[in-house]
Amino acid sequence: DVKVTQSSRYLVKRTGEKVFLECVQDMDHENMFWYRQDPGLGLRLIYFSYDVKMKEKGDIPEGYSVSREKKERFSLILESASTNQTSMYLCASSSLTSRENNEQFFGPGTRLTVL
Amino acid sequence: AQSVTQLGSHVSVSEGALVLLRCNYSSSVPPYLFWYVQYPNQGLQLLLKYTSAATLVKGINGFEAEFKKSETSFHLTKPSAHMRDAAEYFCAVRYGGATNKLIFGTGTLLAVQP
């Protein structure tokens, strides 16, 4: 089974702090994604990566950056956390092989509260 | 641009009743379509996916969805709801290209009444 893990289930930070959210997948997937989930808005893509050291902005990249130094690990960074970044953050990964038909596999999520 | 619309942010059914969750997409090319479920305090889990092999797709937990190109719809159904089906359901459509990006609908929260 594919497993996507996230470093924390719950996180509380203060405004202005630098925040790191870590995601690790164990299926050698090429693609990795970071979403934020807010009530009534569904999932919105922040950033994605299609290879080591490669990244592209999603729909809402402002206030975030990412790092992918190893294939299995994708980090989301909030350079200076703000209260409007309080949200559920979901990481996902997917393979390019046609057999899996591009399904994305999700981690359990990190609920971040910024005070 | 591709988009996904889920009609009804909240749906309530009685246990044993039919579940119908609606999803419409807009796409200029034949899409890949997905339904995901999210149980409380968990990540998303794939229920089923349409990849052009068959228009009626069966998924886990007794759910199925029918792809109707003429209606640009991919509605999710289950003949008889169980209490354990209470969750949030997301429809998603895949972008083209090699990066496998998905566009998600805003979600439908399903409540099942005893």
Side-chain angles (χ1 to χ4, degrees), chain A residues 87-106:
Chain A
S87 186
M88 169 72 94
Y89 290 87
L90 292 165
C91 176
S93 70
S94 72
S95 169
L96 289 175
T97 62
S98 59
R99 180 178 61 83
E100 291 187 353
N101 292 125
N102 317 131
E103 172 189 349
Q104 289 189 15
F105 297 84
F106 283 82

Side-chain angles (χ1 to χ4, degrees), chain A residues 38-42, chain B residues 5-12 20-22 87-90 105-111:
Chain A
D38 300 289
L41 298 178
Chain B
T5 302
Q6 290 184 244
L7 287 176
S9 58
H10 291 79
V11 171
S12 182
L20 171 61
L21 304 182
R22 298 178 187 274
E88 191 158 22
Y89 293 80
F90 293 92
T106 52
T108 298
L109 189 61
L110 176 67

Side-chain angles (χ1 to χ4, degrees), chain A residues 9-10 31 33 35 37 40-43 45 48 50 59 90 94-96 100-104 106-108, chain B residues 32 34 36 38 40-46 49 51 88 90 94-95 98-102 104-107:
Chain A
R9 292 300 304 275
Y10 299 93
N31 299 323
F33 307 83
Y35 297 90
Q37 181 183 8
L41 298 178
L43 275 73
L45 183 64
F48 70 97
Y50 49 92
D59 300 317
L90 292 165
S94 72
S95 169
L96 289 175
E100 291 187 353
N101 292 125
N102 317 131
E103 172 189 349
Q104 289 189 15
F106 283 82
Chain B
Y32 284 162
F34 304 81
Y36 283 86
Q38 185 180 35
N41 298 314
Q42 295 187 25
L44 274 67
Q45 177 184 358
L46 183 71
K49 58 188 174 186
T51 58
E88 191 158 22
F90 293 92
R94 190 205 136 184
Y95 279 87
T99 56
N100 303 341
K101 292 193 293 183
L102 298 178
F104 285 85
T106 52

Side-chain angles (χ1 to χ4, degrees), chain B residues 66-87:
Chain B
E66 186 172 9
F67 172 69
K68 292 188 177 180
K69 186 177 179 181
S70 61
E71 299 177 8
T72 60
S73 70
F74 190 56
H75 301 331
L76 182 71
T77 60
K78 182 173 180 177
S80 177
H82 290 107
M83 297 295 290
R84 62 176 177 264
D85 296 327

Side-chain angles (χ1 to χ4, degrees), chain A residues 67-103:
Chain A
S67 173
R68 193 164 181 203
E69 297 296 319
K70 294 184 177 181
K71 191 174 185 179
E72 67 272 18
R73 186 180 298 271
F74 192 35
S75 302
L76 180 69
I77 303 156
L78 286 66
E79 294 291 343
S80 178
S82 63
T83 55
N84 62 14
Q85 292 178 310
T86 291
S87 186
M88 169 72 94
Y89 290 87
L90 292 165
C91 176
S93 70
S94 72
S95 169
L96 289 175
T97 62
S98 59
R99 180 178 61 83
E100 291 187 353
N101 292 125
N102 317 131
E103 172 189 349

Side-chain angles (χ1 to χ4, degrees), chain A residues 13-63:
Chain A
K13 296 291 181 181
R14 297 211 173 271
T15 301
E17 280 193 79
K18 191 169 186 176
V19 181
F20 292 86
L21 302 182
E22 305 285 340
C23 175
V24 177
Q25 51 93 4
D26 66 359
M27 283 300 291
D28 201 36
H29 283 172
E30 295 84 3
N31 299 323
M32 296 187 75
F33 307 83
W34 274 107
Y35 297 90
R36 66 176 282 174
Q37 181 183 8
D38 300 289
L41 298 178
L43 275 73
R44 293 179 292 167
L45 183 64
I46 305 172
Y47 266 97
F48 70 97
S49 169
Y50 49 92
D51 202 350
V52 174
K53 298 189 185 295
M54 305 303 288
K55 60 187 180 185
E56 281 195 25
K57 294 179 180 179
D59 300 317
I60 51 164
E62 296 79 17

